[in-house]
């Protein structure tokens, strides 16, 4: 088996682990507020991330070189994590993923003003077709839209913005700054809400929160390995396999069914996203390839960025390191 094929299978495993991570969030979301779930998942994630950061031997401080961009990305990352956790708690898994899959489409659009990206008519058309798929999933006017739908949309938008900030400043900022600031902000802000929402947790549920942090790290390691073995165009589309895991877990564990709108809308969104990835891989008049270079999974506040651990030859044009 070739290295590229092994990398693709490893990416499938990584996103399967991420889907299991989300199942536990949904299970805990039935009893606890998202503030509490995010707080403890970040708390348990600190030791793992600290261990990974020990490889950063640069002699420097933690003062960001672009404080306003770091502040805006930190805020966006906090909102993304909270909203994604809330959406997983209250919406069917497959529906949540379908909406979150709009993030690569939004990255393509936001890259125009933020990165000076030139997006041709084909990718532009693919974006709007994909966003049309989101409307198919939501069925405005026919389905009663809830706060969970809004949360998933906000997570997709803020996640796209946070990713592009890293694309913009990632070459100049230390990875430790990009990783720790959102984690510390989550810890402080979610901790501030704890006196108002905290519910005592039995040992089993605390253990489940520790498992969330461990699964995020394990999936991240698998994704790092996948990108080191295969090209981004082979690995990136594998994120859409999460919809299959979501369907399976939803049916087996949460008695969730699939309606035609979710199936049809998901197919449209996935097809658009894969088309954009393939267009970027061919060049398409773009030097930035913002979707291909967006690597870390959306909505994992306790998970580190994978860019510092990816081999130079797989980092994109001119060996850039500004990935997310």
């Amino acid at each position: 088996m070739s290295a590229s094929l092994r990398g693709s299978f490893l990416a499938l495993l990584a996103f399967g682990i991420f889907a299991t991570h989300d199942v536990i969030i949904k299970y805990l979301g039935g009893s606890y507020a998202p503030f509490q779930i995010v707080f403890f998942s970040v708390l348990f994630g600190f030791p793992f991330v600290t261990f990974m950061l020990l490889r950063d031997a640069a002699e420097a401080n933690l003062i960001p070189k672009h404080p306003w961009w770091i502040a805006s990305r930190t805020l966006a990352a906090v909102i993304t994590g909270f909203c994604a956790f809330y959406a997983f708690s209250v919406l069917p898994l497959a529906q949540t993923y379908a909406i979150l899959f709009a993030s690569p489409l939004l990255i393509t659009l936001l890259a125009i003003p933020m990165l000076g990206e030139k997006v041709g008519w084909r990718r532009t058309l693919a974006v709007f077709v994909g966003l049309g798929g989101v409307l198919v999933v939501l069925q405005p006017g026919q389905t009663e839209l809830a706060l969970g739908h809004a949360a998933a949309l906000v997570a997709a938008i803020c996640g796209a913005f946070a990713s592009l900030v890293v694309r913009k400043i990632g070459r100049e900022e230390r990875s430790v700054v990009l990783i720790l600031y959102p984690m510390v902000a989550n810890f402080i802000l979610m901790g501030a809400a704890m006196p108002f929402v905290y519910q005592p947790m039995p040992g089993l549920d605390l253990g489940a929160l520790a498992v969330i942090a461990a699964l995020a790290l394990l999936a991240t390691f698998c994704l790092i390995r996948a990108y080191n073995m295969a090209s981004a165009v082979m690995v990136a589309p594998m994120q859409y396999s999460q919809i299959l895991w979501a369907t399976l877990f939803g049916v087996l564990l949460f008695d969730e069914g699939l309606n035609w709108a979710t199936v049809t809308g998901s197919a449209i969104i996935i097809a658009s996203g894969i088309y954009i990835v393939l267009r970027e891989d061919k060049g398409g008049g773009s030097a930035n390839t913002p979707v291909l270079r967006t690597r870390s999974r959306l909505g994992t506040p306790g998970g580190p960025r994978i860019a510092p651990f990816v081999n130079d030859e797989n980092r994109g044009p001119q060996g850039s390191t500004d990935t997310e």
Side-chain angles (χ1 to χ4, degrees):
M1 185 184 296
S2 67
S4 291
L5 196 56
R6 291 199 303 272
S8 298
F9 280 120
L10 202 54
L12 282 173
L13 175 61
F15 288 113
I17 295 171
F18 274 128
T20 307
H21 164 285
D22 299 332
V23 166
I24 300 175
I25 293 172
K26 185 171 184 62
Y27 160 73
L28 293 173
S31 304
Y32 308 102
F35 297 100
Q36 187 167 341
I37 301 173
V38 173
F39 175 82
F40 280 105
S41 66
V42 170
L43 179 64
F44 287 125
F46 268 119
F48 299 122
V49 173
T50 300
F51 177 76
M52 294 182 73
L53 290 176
L54 289 177
R55 73 185 300 276
D56 187 351
E59 294 184 3
N61 55 45
L62 295 178
I63 299 175
K65 297 179 180 179
H66 301 276
W68 290 110
W69 280 118
I70 290 295
S72 62
R73 178 186 180 269
T74 297
L75 178 60
V78 170
I79 294 173
T80 300
F82 175 82
C83 288
F85 274 41
Y86 178 75
F88 279 122
S89 299
V90 300
L91 293 180
L93 287 169
Q95 195 171 102
T96 304
Y97 278 124
I99 299 172
L100 293 179
F101 285 160
S103 191
L105 308 176
L106 296 170
I107 286 174
T108 302
L109 284 184
L110 292 176
I112 298 172
M114 291 184 63
L115 301 180
E117 173 80 344
K118 295 180 180 179
V119 178
W121 68 268
R122 293 179 180 85
R123 276 195 291 165
T124 301
L125 180 60
V127 168
F128 284 105
V129 169
L131 294 178
V134 176
L135 292 178
V136 172
V137 173
L138 294 177
Q139 298 185 80
Q142 300 182 37
T143 302
E144 184 178 352
L145 299 181
L147 192 57
H149 297 98
L153 282 171
V154 170
I157 295 169
C158 291
F161 176 80
S163 296
L164 285 171
V165 170
V166 177
R167 287 284 296 135
K168 188 175 183 68
I169 66 173
R171 294 185 182 183
E172 301 174 28
E173 292 288 358
R174 294 178 65 204
S175 294
V176 63
V177 171
L178 293 166
I179 292 171
L180 283 184
Y181 271 67
M183 290 190 71
V184 171
N186 266 304
F187 182 77
I188 293 173
L189 294 175
M190 301 301 149
M194 289 292 284
F196 306 100
V197 302
Y198 178 75
Q199 295 289 331
M201 307 186 78
L204 180 63
D205 288 352
L206 279 173
L209 286 167
V211 170
I212 288 176
L215 289 177
L217 184 70
L218 178 60
T220 298
F221 273 128
C222 289
L223 206 51
I224 290 168
R225 185 63 178 156
Y227 273 111
N228 283 332
M229 296 173 69
S231 64
V233 73
M234 293 287 291
V235 176
M238 298 304 166
Q239 66 178 305
Y240 297 114
S241 67
Q242 292 173 108
I243 199 76
L244 301 177
W245 289 106
T247 302
L248 178 63
F249 286 139
V251 171
L252 294 180
L253 301 178
F254 302 106
D255 197 27
E256 296 175 354
L258 278 179
N259 56 44
W260 72 269
T262 301
V263 173
T264 305
S266 297
I268 295 171
I269 296 166
I270 291 171
S272 301
I274 291 176
Y275 178 80
I276 289 171
V277 167
L278 295 176
R279 286 293 302 174
E280 286 190 355
D281 183 60
K282 290 180 179 179
S286 167
N288 289 320
T289 57
V291 173
L292 279 178
R293 302 281 80 83
T294 303
R295 289 168 173 162
S296 294
R297 216 284 295 247
L298 178 72
T300 47
R305 294 174 57 241
I306 75 169
F309 310 96
V310 176
N311 291 337
D312 289 340
E313 60 266 24
N314 287 332
R315 285 185 180 178
Q318 293 79 48
S320 66
T321 59
D322 51 341
T323 54
E324 162 65 2

